Amino acid sequence: MADEQAHDPLNFMRSMWGNMGFSLPGMVAPTFDLEELDKRIKDLKAVEGWLRMNLSMLQMTIQGLEMQRTTVSTVQAMGQMASDAARKINEAPAEAAPPAAEAASGALSEAALWPWQMMQQMREQLQQNAEAAVQAQQAKAAEAAAAAAAEKPKGRRSTAKK
């Protein structure tokens, strides 16, 4: 009998399922014991709940990583815009080269002010867009007034004598 168990290919599976509280013959062959079926249903529902919880945690982790990626790319884009703005400001012709200590402190103050400079640029762009929109609206109103004036019939003078 011991020799029979050593050559049984399912012996390993039986011992593995037996350690978890499941019996392999019951899993393979149908059982007609209601209590055993209820126990299996309860155990499998517990496993299903655990798997759903892991799936939810995985989905939340993916969403968190996507948000992190979006934030990092936005910060990098803002940094690129700030460095471009600083480069434009520094391209202005310098009258005299400052000493090294003054240059270092100037660079530090520029780095501290880049958010302000970026906001100023954005404000200027918005102001230019608003002015362009106002001019377009005024041109459209002038065209409408000219068209309305052209369509009005001219008043006729009465030729009746008094």
Side-chain angles (χ1 to χ4, degrees):
M1 176 113 175
D3 190 33
E4 220 176 89
Q5 286 181 348
H7 295 294
D8 186 11
L10 294 177
N11 190 26
F12 173 73
M13 293 298 291
R14 278 191 197 112
S15 65
M16 186 173 75
W17 282 102
N19 290 338
M20 291 193 307
F22 301 108
S23 60
L24 186 60
M27 293 293 283
V28 174
T31 182
F32 296 107
D33 185 16
L34 292 179
E35 290 176 7
E36 182 67 25
L37 289 173
D38 288 339
K39 180 181 181 273
R40 286 185 195 162
I41 291 170
K42 183 179 121 189
D43 290 342
L44 291 175
K45 283 189 178 187
V47 170
E48 179 187 18
W50 179 79
L51 290 172
R52 285 181 194 257
M53 181 186 66
N54 281 336
L55 178 63
S56 297
M57 289 174 56
L58 178 65
Q59 289 171 339
M60 286 190 319
T61 302
I62 290 170
Q63 288 175 350
L65 289 173
E66 287 172 344
M67 289 174 57
Q68 183 179 359
R69 184 190 182 288
T70 303
T71 303
V72 168
S73 67
T74 303
V75 168
Q76 287 176 347
M78 288 176 60
Q80 182 65 32
M81 285 175 49
S83 65
D84 291 345
R87 191 176 309 119
K88 282 183 180 180
I89 291 171
N90 288 336
E91 285 178 358
E95 295 178 4
E102 289 179 15
S105 66
L108 184 60
S109 66
E110 285 180 20
L113 291 176
W114 76 263
W116 175 258
Q117 293 170 351
M118 187 174 64
M119 288 180 10
Q120 288 294 89
Q121 286 180 348
M122 291 172 69
R123 184 189 61 80
E124 289 171 3
Q125 287 176 352
L126 288 173
Q127 188 173 359
Q128 289 172 358
N129 290 343
E131 288 173 359
V134 167
Q135 288 175 357
Q137 187 68 22
Q138 288 174 348
K140 194 182 288 185
E143 287 176 9
E151 288 179 6
K152 267 189 182 178
K154 295 184 179 179
R156 296 183 183 166
R157 293 184 189 178
S158 77
T159 57
K161 294 184 180 177
K162 295 182 183 179

